[in-house]
Amino acid sequence: MKNNLIVEKLEVDNCEILLDKAESLFLSEEVVSLKNNNMLDVKNLSKVLKEFQENNSVSYYSNRDINKISKNLLNSLKKN
């Protein structure tokens, strides 16, 4: 896959979480995979973000924020 980073930041409560290139690449690839399998929705994005949070050494957000971040990300992706 080409380095097409469609997820470069996450947004929650009027705050932007800027991701590094590896994090952006991981989330972008997951979003593309969900989209290609017609599974791009809040529920599946939430699963990806939960996995991302659990496997990341930096805690960017709490588990209670995952649903809000998923909704914001989905809205952002629809605009683009």
Side-chain angles (χ1 to χ4, degrees), residues 46-58:
S46 292
K47 288 179 185 177
V48 168
L49 289 171
K50 185 169 177 80
E51 177 185 341
F52 176 76
Q53 178 70 356
E54 290 171 353
N55 293 317
N56 201 331
S57 60
V58 179

Side-chain angles (χ1 to χ4, degrees), residues 10-13 15 17 42 45-46 49-50 53 59-73:
L10 301 174
E11 297 177 29
V12 63
D13 295 333
C15 294
I17 301 166
V42 172
L45 274 176
S46 292
L49 289 171
K50 185 169 177 80
Q53 178 70 356
S59 182
Y60 290 119
Y61 49 84
S62 69
N63 285 338
R64 68 174 197 245
D65 292 326
I66 289 176
N67 199 41
K68 288 187 246 178
I69 295 170
S70 297
K71 288 178 183 178
N72 289 338
L73 182 56

Side-chain angles (χ1 to χ4, degrees), residues 5-79:
L5 302 178
I6 58 174
V7 181
E8 296 183 280
K9 64 183 178 181
L10 301 174
E11 297 177 29
V12 63
D13 295 333
N14 295 322
C15 294
E16 290 184 348
I17 301 166
L18 300 177
L19 305 170
D20 69 22
K21 190 169 185 168
E23 294 166 335
S24 293
L25 183 60
F26 170 78
L27 288 176
S28 295
E29 287 177 344
E30 292 296 316
V31 166
V32 167
S33 177
L34 289 173
K35 185 176 180 183
N36 288 343
N37 291 308
N38 294 321
M39 297 174 61
L40 186 58
D41 60 17
V42 172
K43 180 181 174 187
N44 288 317
L45 274 176
S46 292
K47 288 179 185 177
V48 168
L49 289 171
K50 185 169 177 80
E51 177 185 341
F52 176 76
Q53 178 70 356
E54 290 171 353
N55 293 317
N56 201 331
S57 60
V58 179
S59 182
Y60 290 119
Y61 49 84
S62 69
N63 285 338
R64 68 174 197 245
D65 292 326
I66 289 176
N67 199 41
K68 288 187 246 178
I69 295 170
S70 297
K71 288 178 183 178
N72 289 338
L73 182 56
L74 190 58
N75 287 335
S76 174
L77 292 169
K78 286 181 179 178
K79 289 179 186 176

